[in-house]
Amino acid sequence: MKVIRVGASIFVILAGLYATGCGSSTATTPNGTQNSSNAGEGKVLTVATLGDPPTLDPQSTTANITADDMQGVFQYLFSFGKDYKLVPMLASKYEVTPDGKLYTITLRQNVLFHNNQEMTSADVVASLERWLKVSPIGKADDKNYGLKITADGKYTVKIQLNKPYAELPVDLGWWYGGPAIYPASVCKESGTGPLKSFIGTGPYQFVKWVPGQYLEVKKFLKYSQIDLPTDWYAGKVTGNVDVIKYVPVPNVQTRVAGLISGQYDVAESLDAASYQQIANNPNVVPEIVKPFGYPIIVFNKAQGIMSNVKVRQAFLAALNMNDLMLAGFGDPKFFDVTASFYPKQQPQWYSTAGEGQYNQNNPQKAHQLLQEAGYKNQPIRWLVSQQYPFLYKAAQAAVPELQKAGFNVQLDVVDWATLTQKRNDPTAFDAFFTYSSFSPEPPIGAAWLSASWPGFWKDATKDELVNKLAATVDENERKKIWDQIQAYTYQQVPIISLGQFYNFEAISKRVQGFVPTYSPFFYDVTLSD
């Protein structure tokens, strides 16, 4: 059996080394969540967000805002450090058999949930079993690898697979649709339905959620610190914020105005037009988050005109990515025109494979491909939402370029909720516009590779490469396989990536220690008086 070292730090058994915080007077709410007697007191950080999360259950959705808002509440067996490597969280180590089919995970001891119960293997087994049933990632893992999860004593969990899957620990550490660890009692009462209690092991505990008004979490005074250096999402928690309030503020100018006036301490997801206003204000600091994500046009491969690969290749050939990214983001400081699905900040996965097919800006070639495809001016229904202005603006810029090549493109402008609903119906669209968030590893960040994800890319060669990547441990070999996947994607054009873009957010100068990352977290920040 091989003992795995994760990231720069060696996973070691740390039983007994975790200090618990000082006690406090607590009261238990009807749903089991505890409120300490100093609720509402102390330092309060107010964060203006894009909107409400659809749910507070990160297992059940890949929506970024859910996991982001609950970063301090829920934890996972593993997490990621600043070098994007896997680091320990609720696990202390794991081992995998030489055939790659049995994982043995040793848990940290003396870790308390917010209801004061100690986390044990029973809680982890219950959480992972629920994750297999409610998460798109968990469902895919179970379908492909047949996970059998069992407890082996109070602090050990075993996961048996039907074939090797080297990416399993990464899936267990990812938060968008990831396996947050809940008490077994919460899993039992919630089943596969909505989560009924929001009890985790993180440095903050849930207090109250009033949709449309605020989500409030407060410091968990018995938080079980991990005896490792602070490393982004992992390690010791060092902040001094007592309460965090997430306030949904859909209008970007309202977020900016609230930040400048001192109403908010953090304003998320701002636009380029407000950058100079922020930069000129002496009381706030602009932050550009690199890396963050890449906009993608996703084609319907299941049926319709875009199921023809030559039409998709023509679409790619027609586009000028410089113009589209500038239209979407307004200023080159917020994007890079690159063929790579991973930014240069993540050298492990940065790739130039297939770049000859990127940013062609060649309407003549596109027209020729359309003729070869037998295209008869059929309308192409392209779903897009104005709730993500950068996507809408880029789509508007793309239309004349596509028309010049001979396409009959119709933007179907809907709200985001409608778009996410319609894209599940292969009869309802030919293309839709979204973005893929940055992720430390490809399988967890490239949902478009899945045949079950909207777009429906069923392809034997792609599946063979993805399965090969999943079964390969050596990092150099994995990079070569990823290069092949990216090159094949540019050949088959299931999606079109416009380039890499960066998020813009701003903070008050009274906030110290904030790290601008792809999933914002605040448990290591301090607030000055």
Side-chain angles (χ1 to χ4, degrees):
M1 183 171 284
K2 183 178 180 181
V3 179
I4 300 298
R5 299 168 181 232
V6 182
S9 302
I10 301 173
F11 267 30
V12 294
I13 298 177
L14 297 170
L17 295 181
Y18 303 103
T20 56
C22 58
S24 69
S25 174
T26 61
T28 304
T29 65
N31 66 5
T33 305
Q34 293 189 346
N35 294 328
S36 67
S37 60
N38 63 346
E41 299 179 354
K43 296 180 181 296
V44 179
L45 180 82
T46 305
V47 182
T49 67
L50 191 67
D52 277 315
T55 170
L56 300 185
D57 177 12
Q59 285 195 356
S60 67
T61 178
T62 56
N64 298 25
I65 196 169
T66 292
D68 292 349
D69 285 3
M70 300 299 276
Q71 270 284 5
V73 176
F74 296 127
Q75 294 183 315
Y76 305 78
L77 292 174
F78 309 109
S79 190
F80 295 88
K82 61 184 177 182
D83 59 358
Y84 311 121
K85 300 295 185 183
L86 207 63
V87 293
M89 182 63 83
L90 295 177
S92 62
K93 68 173 184 179
Y94 75 89
E95 302 168 348
V96 58
T97 51
D99 65 3
K101 297 196 292 188
L102 176 62
Y103 284 83
T104 300
I105 300 171
T106 304
L107 306 177
R108 289 169 51 200
Q109 298 183 27
N110 302 319
V111 175
L112 293 182
F113 284 110
H114 302 151
N115 61 3
N116 279 346
Q117 294 177 347
E118 185 191 12
M119 179 196 72
T120 69
S121 56
D123 302 301
V124 175
V125 170
S127 298
L128 297 185
E129 287 182 339
R130 182 176 183 272
W131 173 68
L132 297 181
K133 297 173 183 173
V134 304
S135 163
I137 296 173
K139 289 177 182 177
D141 282 1
D142 196 29
K143 178 181 179 182
N144 293 327
Y145 304 100
L147 277 65
K148 304 298 182 186
I149 305 164
T150 56
D152 183 15
K154 191 174 181 181
Y155 301 110
T156 302
V157 173
K158 292 182 177 294
I159 303 178
Q160 181 71 55
L161 311 177
N162 59 22
K163 58 183 176 182
Y165 182 39
E167 291 289 346
L168 180 63
V170 173
D171 287 358
L172 298 179
W174 190 232
W175 38 78
Y176 299 141
I181 302 302
Y182 309 136
S185 58
V186 171
C187 296
K188 183 178 180 180
E189 74 169 343
S190 303
T192 57
L195 198 65
K196 294 184 177 179
S197 302
F198 309 108
I199 302 173
T201 55
Y204 286 85
Q205 63 184 106
F206 172 81
V207 176
K208 191 174 185 179
W209 182 31
V210 184
Q213 297 186 36
Y214 66 90
L215 164 66
E216 181 177 330
V217 300
K218 69 175 183 178
K219 183 173 284 188
F220 178 45
L221 299 180
K222 294 185 178 181
Y223 175 62
S224 307
Q225 286 275 17
I226 186 169
D227 192 21
L228 289 172
T230 301
D231 185 12
W232 276 21
Y233 302 100
K236 285 184 177 178
V237 171
T238 60
N240 73 347
V241 174
D242 298 294
V243 174
I244 304 174
K245 282 191 174 182
Y246 297 92
V247 180
V249 185
N251 184 279
V252 64
Q253 283 306 316
T254 306
R255 294 198 293 277
V256 171
L259 176 72
I260 291 175
S261 71
Q263 182 180 3
Y264 310 127
D265 299 298
V266 181
E268 297 183 334
S269 301
L270 305 180
D271 60 8
S274 57
Y275 181 84
Q276 205 55 50
Q277 182 183 8
I278 295 290
N280 290 340
N281 191 290
N283 299 318
V284 297
V285 179
E287 298 279 5
I288 298 177
V289 183
K290 298 183 178 183
F292 192 74
Y294 54 103
I296 52 175
I297 304 167
V298 184
F299 297 117
N300 180 357
K301 280 80 68 182
Q303 60 181 268
I305 188 63
M306 300 313 294
S307 63
N308 186 320
V309 65
K310 282 191 176 292
V311 178
R312 301 198 300 268
Q313 290 170 342
F315 207 107
L316 174 61
L319 298 179
N320 181 328
M321 302 306 183
N322 297 286
D323 290 348
L324 269 55
M325 292 296 278
L326 189 61
F329 300 98
D331 189 317
K333 69 166 62 72
F334 298 111
F335 66 85
D336 278 329
V337 176
T338 172
S340 180
F341 298 157
Y342 268 83
K344 291 181 179 178
Q345 292 87 356
Q346 171 50 304
Q348 169 64 23
W349 300 108
Y350 177 79
S351 175
T352 59
E355 67 177 355
Q357 305 304 311
Y358 173 78
N359 198 19
Q360 296 176 69
N361 187 25
N362 190 338
Q364 295 79 21
K365 177 182 177 181
H367 184 72
Q368 178 62 36
L369 285 166
L370 286 179
Q371 288 187 321
E372 293 174 11
Y375 179 64
K376 304 296 184 185
N377 202 41
Q378 298 97 320
I380 294 173
R381 302 161 297 166
W382 184 0
L383 289 171
V384 63
S385 172
Q386 290 182 324
Q387 283 176 267
Y388 287 95
F390 59 91
L391 297 178
Y392 179 65
K393 293 175 182 176
Q396 285 184 306
V399 168
E401 294 182 359
L402 294 165
Q403 290 173 334
K404 185 177 181 181
F407 279 98
N408 177 11
V409 179
Q410 299 177 359
L411 293 186
D412 188 358
V413 183
V414 296
D415 62 81
W416 186 249
T418 301
L419 186 152
T420 57
Q421 184 179 33
K422 292 183 72 171
R423 72 184 186 182
N424 292 313
D425 178 3
T427 69
F429 73 98
D430 297 304
F432 69 90
F433 214 173
T434 184
Y435 74 90
S436 183
S437 300
F438 172 81
S439 65
E441 296 273 344
I444 55 176
W448 47 267
L449 287 169
S450 170
S452 60
W453 195 73
F456 320 109
W457 191 20
K458 295 182 179 179
D459 185 291
T461 301
K462 176 263 298 181
D463 290 343
E464 181 181 354
L465 289 170
V466 171
N467 290 335
K468 189 176 178 183
L469 179 69
T472 302
V473 174
D474 182 84
E475 288 196 356
N476 292 328
E477 288 302 314
R478 286 168 55 76
K479 177 57 167 54
K480 292 178 182 176
I481 299 168
W482 178 247
D483 287 344
Q484 294 175 54
I485 292 174
Q486 181 169 304
Y488 190 67
T489 300
Y490 273 103
Q491 177 188 332
Q492 293 296 311
V493 203
I495 63 163
I496 292 177
S497 169
L498 271 58
Q500 295 291 325
F501 77 97
Y502 308 120
N503 193 28
F504 170 36
E505 54 199 16
I507 61 172
S508 163
K509 284 192 173 177
R510 66 189 290 259
V511 180
Q512 302 294 318
F514 174 70
V515 179
T517 62
Y518 48 96
S519 178
F521 66 97
F522 302 102
Y523 37 82
D524 286 329
V525 305
T526 60
L527 279 177
S528 61
D529 294 325

